Amino acid sequence: QVQLVESGGGLVQPGDSLKLSCVASGFRLDYVTVAWFRQAPGKEREEVSCLRPRDDTTRYVDSVKGRFTMSRDNALNTVYLQMNDLKPEDTAIYFCATGLIDFRRNIPSCPAAHNYNNWGQGTQVAVAS
């Protein structure tokens, strides 16, 4: 069964950190693009970051640059999202997704959401004082 499972969410205060995990089963993450999305209640889904495992190239939405970092562990078939200096606006359900799509040379953003065909169920992140 092809499956993605996220974990690591929780309730934290502004300025704190969390590390999310996305574990894949039924397929390998080595040669697919992996992305993190988030969605807050009543808001549109937002693509936060993406990673190309073959060379560890990453991209981030402007609002999280300098605070969030994607990484991977091929041995564990897992992708991570390290989130530092969390803000209330980061509150959302965070999803990981994969797709057989490469980064485009002259486009600085992540591949669009429709390119990701495998999605996890999400993990809740809440940032409040």
Side-chain angles (χ1 to χ4, degrees):
Q1 179 180 225
V2 175
Q3 189 174 24
L4 295 170
V5 179
E6 304 95 334
S7 63
L11 173 62
V12 298
Q13 298 184 69
D16 286 351
S17 298
L18 284 173
K19 187 174 184 178
L20 306 183
S21 299
C22 174
V23 180
S25 60
F27 69 104
R28 302 294 300 181
L29 292 174
D30 307 55
Y31 299 105
V32 298
T33 294
V34 185
W36 285 97
F37 292 79
R38 64 187 181 187
Q39 187 166 29
K43 297 184 179 180
E44 295 291 322
R45 180 180 58 191
E46 177 185 34
E47 191 162 14
V48 176
S49 64
C50 51
L51 177 147
R52 185 170 61 190
R54 68 177 176 87
D55 62 1
D56 284 337
T57 297
T58 56
R59 294 175 174 175
Y60 304 91
V61 68
D62 286 345
S63 61
V64 308
K65 286 181 179 177
R67 299 190 297 119
F68 290 11
T69 303
M70 281 192 73
S71 62
R72 50 90 177 179
D73 188 328
N74 287 340
L76 297 178
N77 213 30
T78 300
V79 169
Y80 305 97
L81 183 66
Q82 177 68 48
M83 305 185 295
N84 297 326
D85 191 26
L86 284 161
K87 304 175 180 180
E89 65 198 71
D90 297 317
T91 296
I93 299 176
Y94 283 71
F95 303 88
C96 65
T98 66
L100 294 173
I101 185 68
D102 201 0
F103 295 178
R104 291 184 64 85
R105 178 179 175 85
N106 297 317
I107 301 177
S109 59
C110 292
H114 69 83
N115 291 291
Y116 303 98
N117 57 302
N118 296 312
W119 293 78
Q121 294 298 308
T123 185
Q124 176 71 56
V125 172
V127 185
S129 57

